[in-house]
Each structure stands twice: as structure tokens, then as C-alpha cells.
Amino acid sequence: VDTRGSFGGLGIEITTRSNVLTVVSPIEDTPAYRAGIKSGDQIIKIEDEFTKDMPLVEAVKKMRGPKGSTIHLTLRREGVPKLIDLTLMREVIKIQSVKYHMLDKGYGYLRITQFQEHTDEDLQKAMASLEKENGGPLAGLVLDLRNNPGGLLTQAVKVSDEFIDSGLVVYTDGRLENQKQKYFAHKTGSHMDFPMIVLVNGGSASASEIVAGCLQDHKRALVLGTQTFGKGSVQTILPL
């Protein structure tokens, strides 16, 4: 649902770490973001129910719900002695995957909040708009992947491909032959003529780590920020 860009809930990406429900990152302009929920926060209780050993799918179900309904969360945050109690109102979460603006003359800023079905197309439009506003090719680009919890692997590959013209983007490996896949970059449409900085933090996970790692390995961009979340899983959807 959330890769299509709209659902009713709080606006947080969650995972389990050591059997504890943990926030990967809040999504910008959502109830969770405005309430100050941070990457790494542990969700101890949903309403009055403890979340220890609660399956992830069940936790997501409890937190999603109709727009306008409220929910009570109890959080534990590292370095904060007391538990944090929050009451949030659910909203329809609409995610604009790509945001951008010009910084100084010649320098563009491009933020990807999440990797969704149309992120690559939105990125191409954003790059065209930045170049048009600049009146020509950019002198440099800041790609902001902070608090980007990831999304579709195919989109991570396409976004990386926008900024490199050849070579391996990412590969998956497994015991079975059909689990081994390699994704390569193509020359067409690559933006290679300016230096780049990629911003990351503890909320940058999964697909955003693939993009940052790829651009770093190809020496295409300098990665700047703090250590990323460390989520290296790839799911495959199998239609039944």
C-alpha cells in the first residue's frame, strides 16, 4: 500500500530489533513526524498493550486505521530516563517521494523521502526543473536520503542509474540460482557532469543505503552524515 503513496495511519516505518518494535524513521509531514518521534525509538506499548514479541504485521494493523481516530503510544528513547507517552491522530498519509529546490546559483538540492513506484520519474522531472531554473547544467547536487526508510529495490537501482553510467549497482545472492540477481547501470540519461554529496543518518535504511553505497563505491558521490540504519533485506512479491 505505502509504495503507492497513500494510506491511513501515523507515518512511521517500523521494524523489530531484538524482539522490540523499533522506529526506522518517521515520514516527513505526518502525525508521527510532528509529534517528534525519532529513528531508533522503541515502541513499548500500543494503547495499553505491550508490544514485546508482537508480530510486526499485527503492530502495523493496530497503528493503521481511519483518518481522525486517535491512538496512544508509549516509547522508550535512548538517553531519556522516562518513557514517553504520546497520543496521535491518524491521517491519510500521502507521501511526496521527491522534493527539490535550488541552493546557491548552480547548486541543486534533491530529497527522496521514500522509494515508491514513480520515484525515478519524479526524480527525472526534478532534475529537468533544477537545470531549467539554473539556466543550464548544475555545478553540484546535494542528494538528501536522511530518514528515508527505503522502499522498492527496483527504484533504488533506477535512482542510482541516474547518476552513474556503467557498472554494478547492487546484487542479491542466495542458495538457489534464481535468487542470484545482478543490477547494472546504463549510459543513457546519466547525470555525470557535476560533483555530488549524499546526506544520510540513522534513519536512512534499505533502498537508501543501496543508493548511498552504490554512489560511494563508484566514487560518484561523497557520503556525509551519521551511520545508517543497517537494514539489508530484499523481499520478493510472489503472486499466488
Side-chain angles (χ1 to χ4, degrees):
V1 174
D2 73 18
T3 60
R4 297 218 167 100
S6 166
F7 54 92
L10 304 176
I12 41 174
E13 186 93 3
I14 55 170
T15 188
T16 40
R17 271 193 169 170
S18 313
N19 293 339
V20 182
L21 216 53
T22 306
V23 175
V24 177
S25 69
I27 298 160
E28 272 176 40
D29 307 323
T30 63
Y33 185 84
R34 291 193 292 272
I37 290 177
K38 294 183 176 175
S39 172
D41 282 354
Q42 294 179 331
I43 301 171
I44 305 301
K45 285 200 279 190
I46 299 171
E47 298 296 3
D48 289 325
E49 193 176 341
F50 283 98
T51 61
K52 188 164 168 51
D53 299 326
M54 184 186 283
L56 201 56
V57 174
E58 195 185 324
V60 168
K61 254 189 200 160
K62 284 182 187 300
M63 287 194 279
R64 285 201 178 154
K67 172 189 170 184
S69 58
T70 58
I71 182 170
H72 187 87
L73 299 182
T74 305
L75 309 175
R76 182 192 291 137
R77 182 172 296 162
E78 202 177 323
V80 177
K82 283 187 174 175
L83 295 177
I84 300 164
D85 284 307
L86 293 173
T87 301
L88 301 154
M89 187 181 282
R90 295 180 180 95
E91 289 177 10
V92 173
I93 308 295
K94 284 200 170 104
I95 303 164
Q96 187 187 342
S97 143
V98 176
K99 300 174 181 182
Y100 62 93
H101 60 261
M102 289 300 294
L103 299 167
D104 291 340
K105 173 77 179 146
Y107 293 91
Y109 168 89
L110 200 144
R111 167 150 178 70
I112 301 176
T113 56
Q114 200 171 359
F115 291 87
Q116 300 172 354
E117 280 177 353
H118 303 294
T119 298
D120 60 325
E121 294 160 26
D122 294 344
L123 178 85
Q124 287 162 5
K125 286 176 196 160
M127 287 302 297
S129 297
L130 286 170
E131 284 170 357
K132 188 179 174 187
E133 196 180 327
N134 191 47
L138 297 176
L141 181 73
V142 175
L143 177 62
D144 190 351
L145 299 177
R146 289 174 300 177
N147 291 328
N148 178 326
L152 300 173
L153 172 69
T154 49
Q155 286 293 325
V157 172
K158 285 175 179 174
V159 166
S160 302
D161 196 357
E162 287 290 317
F163 300 110
I164 58 172
D165 57 4
S166 63
L168 185 66
V169 175
V170 67
Y171 69 92
T172 64
D173 205 350
R175 292 191 185 119
L176 305 175
E177 258 329 290
N178 65 5
Q179 288 172 336
K180 296 180 183 181
Q181 289 177 300
K182 290 185 176 180
Y183 298 88
F184 290 94
H186 309 89
K187 201 172 181 75
T188 47
S190 296
H191 300 279
M192 296 293 293
D193 44 1
F194 50 77
M196 283 177 72
I197 280 182
V198 180
L199 301 181
V200 295
N201 67 1
S204 307
S206 202
S208 46
E209 291 175 300
I210 288 170
V211 173
C214 169
L215 297 180
Q216 185 178 53
D217 285 354
H218 283 272
K219 298 187 169 43
R220 174 67 187 90
L222 181 71
V223 176
L224 197 67
T226 57
Q227 187 169 355
T228 57
F229 191 82
K231 175 176 178 271
S233 59
V234 175
Q235 301 84 26
T236 306
I237 296 168
L238 301 173
L240 298 174

